């Protein structure tokens, strides 16, 4: 540890010539401010998004209402579509109960997980390679606009939690050569990732096994450590699966394997198709990610050219250290594994982005060490690209899409008032004429604790205690308007 501290102090002295302490503090403060704004600004203002956010939000809400933490439901029936264990829903239940039943509370766990991921990248690179590499890692992650606008940091699903656990596992592997017990942390991250995203956690398992094989000579693995790692990886999963089987049999677990693994990997289900280069093309379309690649390439080129080490000595052609192995595995395994699957969704590759940020942090160190203030010239274009990416992200956050129907539901329903908790029918002639969508079900539940029902006006007419949402020009003769908003009205029996 003394050697590590001495090496870090040498790095800090060199990098201070690139950016003075005062300038660094200002840059760090701006980056942290940007992180907070990206995570939390207007977090609850966007309408509820369909599919994953709506489904997770409904399951968490109904879990809070029923008090059942094991069996996830959709419209109070066992959910056999979202075949994931309930870890993310548990976090949302806690947030609902602390902050109320709102979109903000639903999304807050994701925002906190993403903020934690950013801080892990910053602190790890700072402690290992110096304060400027730490700042570079943070900026790299902030500039990956897809994390902040598409299905992760600001949506109420399991992806930000999964990304955080993948990042923590990677950091554990990076220090496992010096602290073998860190392997237990990686195994625990695997278990928690499984409880969040099911078999997506296999990426951590593959990284862990490959790391042990490739770095076996650098690791001190004992029999007790192996037993402890197996326990950390298996016990949380076994406990949840056992309780789930006791509650409602093996059908859910069987569908997890048959549909969510075998079918999704072998077939392009739900029209989520893409070629082998799908994820590479997606990442190349992200300006901030391309900028990170430029910095990484420049840093690696300088490092190879001068043979830079942490202590400033010339070492010639470098051999990959365990940290390099862990970081490259964390970047490549999700990219390669999900490229092989037939079903493709862009957020599957998100765990690679914090690994890329950590690589940028590590390999930016030679830039700052060898080029000094000239490193600024190398970084001008990537920094401009990052600024463009951040501006685009801010534009999406500040100007979210609107939903008149969701706004109407929030206006006409009152979970504290007399209509709360009743059955609610839907009778409209616009795009929602086919029935309740998932996002509208969630809004109805959050806003009025409603039980959304399928059926026609005739079904509502025969249900004396039910309510119906309809258009202003379609109010039933036997109904009385409870509340209205725009083109929509809430009607009860007269």
């Amino acid at each position: 540890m003394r050697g590590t501290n001495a090496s870090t102090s040498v790095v800090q002295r060199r990098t201070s010539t690139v950016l003075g302490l005062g300038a660094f503090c200002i840059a760090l403060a701006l980056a942290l401010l940007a992180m907070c704004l990206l995570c939390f600004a207007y977090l609850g203002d966007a309408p509820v998004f369909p599919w994953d956010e709506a489904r997770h939000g409904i399951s968490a809400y109904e879990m809070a209402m029923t008090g059942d933490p094991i069996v996830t439901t959709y419209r109070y029936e066992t959910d056999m579509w979202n075949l994931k264990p309930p870890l993310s829903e548990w976090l949302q239940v806690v947030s609902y109960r602390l902050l109320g039943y709102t979109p903000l509370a639903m999304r807050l766990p994701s925002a906190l997980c993403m903020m934690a991921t950013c801080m892990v990248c910053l602190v790890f690179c700072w402690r290992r390679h110096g304060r400027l590499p730490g700042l570079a890692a943070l900026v790299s992650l902030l500039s990956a606009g897809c994390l902040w606008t598409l299905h992760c940091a600001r949506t109420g699903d399991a992806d930000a939690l999964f990304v955080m656990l993948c990042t923590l596992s990677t950091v554990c592997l990076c220090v496992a050569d010096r602290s073998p017990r860190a392997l237990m942390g990686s195994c625990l991250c695997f278990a928690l990732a499984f409880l969040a995203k099911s078999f997506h956690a296999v990426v951590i398992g593959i990284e862990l096994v490959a790391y042990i094989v490739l770095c076996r000579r650098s690791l001190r693995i004992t029999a007790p450590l192996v037993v402890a790692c197996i326990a950390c990886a298996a016990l949380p999963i076994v406990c949840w699966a056992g309780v789930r089987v006791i509650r409602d049999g093996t059908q859910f677990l069987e569908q997890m394997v048959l549909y969510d693994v075998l079918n999704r990997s072998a077939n392009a289900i739900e029209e989520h198709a893409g070629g082998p280069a799908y994820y590479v093309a997606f990442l190349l379309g992200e300006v901030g990610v391309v900028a990170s690649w430029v910095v990484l390439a420049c840093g690696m080129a300088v490092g190879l050219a001068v043979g830079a080490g942490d202590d400033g000595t010339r070492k010639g052609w470098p051999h990959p250290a365990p940290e390099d192995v862990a970081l490259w595995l964390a970047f490549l395994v999700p990219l390669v594994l999900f490229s092989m699957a037939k079903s493709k969704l862009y957020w599957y590759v998100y765990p690679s982005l914090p690994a890329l940020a950590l690589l940028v942090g590590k390999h930016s160190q030679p830039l700052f060490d060898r080029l000094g203030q000239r490193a600024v010239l190398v970084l001008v274009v990537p920094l401009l690209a990052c600024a463009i990416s951040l501006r685009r992200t801010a534009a999406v956050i500040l100007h979210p899409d609107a939903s008149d129907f969701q706004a109407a539901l929030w206006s006409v329903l009152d979970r504290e008032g007399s209509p709360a908790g009743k059955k609610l029918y839907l009778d409209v002639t616009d795009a929602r004429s086919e029935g309740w969508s998932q996002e509208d079900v969630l809004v109805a539940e959050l806003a009025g604790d409603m039980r959304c029902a399928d059926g026609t006006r005739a079904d509502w007419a025969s249900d004396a205690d039910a309510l119906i949402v309809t258009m202003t020009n379609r109010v039933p003769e036997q109904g009385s308007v409870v509340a209205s908003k725009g083109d929509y009205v809430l009607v009860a029996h007269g």
Side-chain angles (χ1 to χ4, degrees), residues 369-384:
D369 290 351
R370 301 299 174 177
L371 300 183
Q373 294 183 346
R374 290 175 296 172
V376 176
L377 300 177
V378 178
L379 299 178
V380 166
V381 174
L383 286 173
L384 288 175

Side-chain angles (χ1 to χ4, degrees), residues 203 259 272 308 414 439 443 445:
V203 297
Y259 183 83
H272 298 151
D414 179 11
E439 61 271 28
V443 173
E445 290 187 345

Side-chain angles (χ1 to χ4, degrees), residues 50-52 55-56 74 78-84 252 255 259-260 264 270 272 438:
W51 306 115
D52 287 13
R55 203 78 175 200
H56 281 269
Y74 175 71
T78 300
D79 189 3
M80 300 301 292
W81 183 83
N82 179 25
L83 298 168
K84 303 290 189 295
F252 186 86
Q255 287 299 309
Y259 183 83
D260 218 25
R264 192 177 293 274
E270 300 170 5
H272 298 151
Q438 295 181 98

Side-chain angles (χ1 to χ4, degrees), residues 161-198:
L161 172 60
F162 182 66
V163 168
M164 181 190 73
L165 292 170
C166 289
T167 306
L168 290 174
S169 173
T170 300
V171 169
C172 288
L173 295 182
C174 286
V175 301
D177 59 319
R178 300 180 182 180
S179 178
R181 286 183 294 181
L183 293 173
M184 295 168 56
S186 181
C187 291
L188 181 60
C189 288
F190 166 80
L192 295 176
F194 184 91
L195 295 180
K197 286 279 286 184
S198 183

Side-chain angles (χ1 to χ4, degrees), residues 338-359:
F338 291 122
S339 293
M340 295 168 59
K342 295 296 184 181
S343 293
K344 302 248 184 348
L345 291 165
Y346 52 80
W347 54 87
Y348 286 0
V349 79
Y350 283 179
S352 293
L353 296 178
L356 176 61
L358 292 170
L359 284 167

Side-chain angles (χ1 to χ4, degrees), residues 285-447:
E286 291 289 323
V287 176
V289 174
V290 174
S292 295
W293 268 109
V294 172
V295 176
L296 176 58
C298 292
M300 292 181 67
V302 172
L304 290 173
V306 300
D310 284 348
D311 57 359
T313 60
R314 187 176 182 85
K315 296 186 176 181
W317 188 268
H319 295 284
E323 180 181 345
D324 294 290
V325 174
L327 292 179
W328 281 108
L329 284 172
F331 175 75
L332 291 174
V333 168
L335 184 62
V336 174
L337 182 65
F338 291 122
S339 293
M340 295 168 59
K342 295 296 184 181
S343 293
K344 302 248 184 348
L345 291 165
Y346 52 80
W347 54 87
Y348 286 0
V349 79
Y350 283 179
S352 293
L353 296 178
L356 176 61
L358 292 170
L359 284 167
V360 168
K362 175 180 172 60
H363 290 285
S364 66
Q365 180 184 334
L367 287 175
F368 300 125
D369 290 351
R370 301 299 174 177
L371 300 183
Q373 294 183 346
R374 290 175 296 172
V376 176
L377 300 177
V378 178
L379 299 178
V380 166
V381 174
L383 286 173
L384 288 175
C386 290
I388 293 172
S389 178
L390 288 171
R391 182 181 179 186
R392 290 179 179 176
T393 303
V396 173
I397 292 173
L398 293 173
H399 304 287
D401 294 333
S403 171
D404 292 339
F405 184 71
Q406 289 188 26
L409 288 178
W410 283 110
S411 178
V412 302
L413 298 177
D414 179 11
R415 66 179 298 111
E416 305 298 332
S418 57
K422 295 186 176 182
K423 189 181 293 186
L424 182 64
Y425 287 87
L426 179 64
D427 175 50
V428 295
T429 57
D430 57 12
R432 291 170 169 80
S433 59
E434 295 183 359
W436 287 104
S437 63
Q438 295 181 98
E439 61 271 28
D440 297 336
V441 169
L442 177 57
V443 173
E445 290 187 345
L446 294 179

